[in-house]
Amino acid sequence: MEATVVKTGTEGKTWGGGNRPLRASYGKLMMWFFIVSDALTFSGFLASYGFSRFKFIDAWPIADEVFTHFPFLHGVEAPMYYVALMTFILIFSSVTMVLAVDAGHKMQKNKVILYMFLTILGGIAFVGSQAWEWATFIKGDYGAVETKGGRILQFLNTEGERVAIADFATNIPGARETHAESNGVWYQQEATQTTFTFEEVKAGFLANDDILIRTQYLNEAGEPTVLSREESINKLTNDGALVVEGANLRHNEYGHPLFADFFFFITGFHGFHVFSGVIINIIIFFNVILGTYERRGSYEMVEKVGLYWHFVDLVWVFVFTFFYLV
Amino acid sequence: MAHEHKLAIFRGSLKFKSNVQKIWGVFILLSIVTIVEVALGIVKPEFLTDTKFLAMKLLNWIFIILTLVKAYYITWDFMHMRDEKSSLRRSVIWTAVFLICYLVLILLIEGDYIYEVYRSNYIKFNF
């Protein structure tokens, strides 16, 4: 096989191969391009959130009123504090990650181990916080009535404070029972019922003169419209259809169901990224402990997962703004 | 590239002695920006919510600009974009920024148009 050409004769020339025009390794470059495509996915979600919000701009829930809880502080109105805490957890885990990358450049194995460990803890803390946020949102707090047209009616007292439906609904004995599989002739059961039926809420509303209805539509001042007592009675008896407690993909006691849909989808997709980031970090963490990169002579793998981890933080910065602030 | 970091931020006006110091410096900066955002989100000063600039509340402009500031420092210092070659930086940033701006512009204009259609329609949606 003497005729086989071993060399192309173009070594050292620009197009001769073996060049790294962007001066980054293959793996790092591919991580960057993955991040670009993932950023486009997330911006697609956030842009469609903006689309739906602009579409229903006069009836979109105010995030400050939706996320007002803080763990162990029951009944305390604490808008934003919890999500600010989550943001700090994530930014801080980003800091420990970049410290791990820096220690990796200096080939300090024990420091990399420590900082990777702290990063993993931060990631787990963030996912846990998000689970709590979801649970609170799903559970709801005051309850509301959905109209036939799918609009949400919330209840206020005459001072303008929110009233939970449990506080005024009258109990009608035997109004409704959940159909469980054990009672049926066939293997059928129905989904969880709300604590009160619409009839019970309506009866309680008519019996209490000091309760008003607040619709989702914003008035000139940009606040949800509060109806007078007379209008409230008309609205509830003519349009009311069912009771909503908490939020799921179909109903949302805080306002438009699309708000809940986008909340679950975007924060869920982001939480999934954090979760997979934690898994990848754990794998790299064990590789560091085993000395894989020490033997390889380079901690570039830590840098690559670091890029992904910072990207997750970057996305959260935008989710935080567009879901909670704007 | 593995051992060389550009250690100055704010266009060179703030220089750090080591990369670790720069990381903590950027962390402090990001924390301050976040605290300002949260404080504004809780207080909601009236002169910011009442004033509008280009069809958006001044407060929302501030939030978006502060978010972009945070995104800049995360990308430049935590993801080491500052130390990369400008061709890599541009192929990543310009592509993403152009496509995202385009998508957001189109979807928001369309969303606003549909809102107008709903509002000035003969069909009643609020029942």
Side-chain angles (χ1 to χ4, degrees):
Chain A
M1 300 294 272
E2 286 114 18
T4 309
V5 179
V6 185
K7 293 196 169 177
T8 53
T10 53
E11 294 81 30
K13 292 188 177 162
T14 311
W15 297 98
N19 255 334
R20 298 200 310 184
L22 299 180
R23 236 178 277 148
S25 70
Y26 171 80
K28 223 170 117 180
L29 212 52
M30 289 304 118
M31 183 51 92
W32 268 117
F33 288 141
F34 165 72
I35 285 173
V36 170
S37 69
D38 217 21
L40 292 176
T41 310
F42 270 109
S43 50
F45 292 154
L46 281 174
S48 53
Y49 169 81
F51 169 77
S52 301
R53 186 173 173 166
F54 271 45
K55 197 167 144 184
F56 301 107
I57 193 79
D58 57 353
W60 200 253
I62 302 162
D64 286 14
E65 290 189 4
V66 179
F67 305 102
T68 57
H69 301 275
F70 201 89
F72 311 114
L73 294 178
H74 295 285
V76 179
E77 289 275 303
M80 308 277 307
Y81 292 104
Y82 188 63
V83 70
L85 175 73
M86 283 167 68
T87 309
F88 273 111
I89 292 174
L90 206 57
I91 290 182
F92 196 72
S93 81
S94 230
V95 170
T96 54
M97 186 78 228
V98 74
L99 287 172
V101 173
D102 184 71
H105 281 161
K106 297 171 189 154
M107 303 295 281
Q108 296 163 327
K109 182 178 165 186
N110 287 330
K111 271 196 173 177
V112 179
I113 292 174
L114 171 71
Y115 287 133
M116 289 281 305
F117 182 69
L118 291 176
T119 309
I120 292 166
L121 283 189
I124 292 171
F126 180 84
V127 178
S129 313
Q130 210 165 38
W132 189 86
E133 180 100 322
W134 273 46
T136 319
F137 185 56
I138 291 168
K139 190 167 145 269
D141 39 3
Y142 294 104
V145 161
E146 193 176 303
T147 66
K148 290 168 192 152
R151 303 297 133 131
I152 289 293
L153 306 176
Q154 295 168 333
F155 300 96
L156 303 178
N157 61 19
T158 34
E159 273 104 62
E161 289 159 356
R162 292 288 301 278
V163 182
I165 51 170
D167 292 345
F168 64 86
T170 43
N171 209 1
I172 304 175
R176 188 74 167 77
E177 251 181 64
T178 308
H179 176 51
E181 194 181 300
S182 54
N183 304 327
V185 259
W186 191 243
Y187 299 102
Q188 280 184 334
Q189 55 182 352
E190 58 182 8
T192 322
Q193 296 297 306
T194 47
T195 334
F196 296 98
T197 64
F198 174 64
E199 291 307 319
E200 287 173 324
V201 171
K202 193 167 116 184
F205 178 79
L206 295 176
N208 287 285
D209 282 334
D210 58 343
I211 295 179
L212 304 175
I213 277 182
R214 186 172 76 171
T215 69
Q216 289 300 295
Y217 284 89
L218 305 178
N219 56 22
E220 290 84 20
E223 279 156 10
T225 320
V226 180
L227 303 177
S228 68
R229 177 68 188 168
E230 210 167 290
E231 288 169 334
S232 298
I233 294 172
N234 274 334
K235 188 81 185 162
L236 191 71
T237 41
N238 293 334
D239 294 347
L242 64 142
V243 174
V244 184
E245 285 169 326
N248 54 41
L249 292 176
R250 285 191 198 153
H251 307 286
N252 171 14
E253 69 156 69
Y254 299 101
H256 206 285
L258 273 176
F259 178 83
D261 294 345
F262 277 111
F263 177 77
F264 288 129
F265 203 80
I266 295 178
T267 62
F269 199 65
H270 176 264
F272 173 67
H273 272 75
V274 180
F275 176 72
S276 29
V278 168
I279 302 284
I280 297 167
N281 274 345
I282 289 174
I283 295 170
I284 301 299
F285 174 66
F286 281 117
N287 274 343
V288 175
I289 290 182
L290 292 172
T292 311
Y293 308 121
E294 201 72 30
R295 283 197 295 279
R296 200 177 279 177
S298 143
Y299 278 89
E300 205 195 52
M301 209 62 202
V302 178
E303 200 178 331
K304 280 183 250 177
V305 295
L307 281 181
Y308 178 73
W309 191 254
H310 298 312
F311 169 69
V312 169
D313 183 26
L314 185 67
V315 169
W316 180 256
V317 165
F318 283 92
V319 173
F320 173 62
T321 302
F322 292 113
F323 253 100
Y324 296 93
L325 289 176
V326 169
Chain B
M1 185 216 55
H3 290 279
E4 50 195 76
H5 290 288
K6 292 179 184 152
L7 295 177
I9 63 172
F10 299 140
R11 298 210 150 264
S13 59
L14 183 56
K15 289 195 178 78
F16 293 101
K17 286 197 189 76
S18 70
N19 194 36
V20 175
Q21 272 194 2
K22 186 181 82 168
I23 294 165
W24 287 110
V26 172
F27 171 65
I28 291 168
L29 176 72
L30 292 179
S31 305
I32 292 171
V33 173
T34 310
I35 289 168
V36 169
E37 278 184 335
V38 172
L40 283 177
I42 292 168
V43 178
K44 291 193 179 171
E46 264 182 32
F47 69 98
L48 290 178
T49 50
D50 293 347
T51 332
K52 285 198 171 186
F53 177 71
L54 288 181
M56 195 160 69
K57 284 176 195 162
L58 215 51
L59 187 65
N60 288 355
W61 278 112
I62 293 176
F63 284 147
I64 289 170
I65 289 165
L66 289 181
T67 304
L68 292 177
V69 168
K70 281 204 283 185
Y72 173 85
Y73 283 102
I74 289 173
T75 321
W76 254 243
D77 290 311
F78 285 1
M79 297 168 101
H80 301 307
M81 236 351 169
R82 208 185 282 280
D83 307 328
E84 302 292 354
K85 246 192 133 182
S86 61
S87 47
L88 170 59
R89 203 160 60 213
R90 286 170 194 163
S91 62
V92 170
I93 306 290
W94 287 3
T95 314
V97 167
F98 166 71
L99 289 174
I100 291 169
C101 289
Y102 183 54
L103 180 73
V104 168
L105 178 80
I106 282 196
L107 281 185
L108 293 189
I109 290 175
E110 182 70 11
D112 187 53
Y113 168 73
I114 297 177
Y115 165 71
E116 290 297 331
V117 170
Y118 277 168
R119 203 176 55 143
S120 53
N121 206 294
Y122 294 112
I123 300 171
K124 193 180 169 193
F125 290 96
N126 178 20
F127 59 93

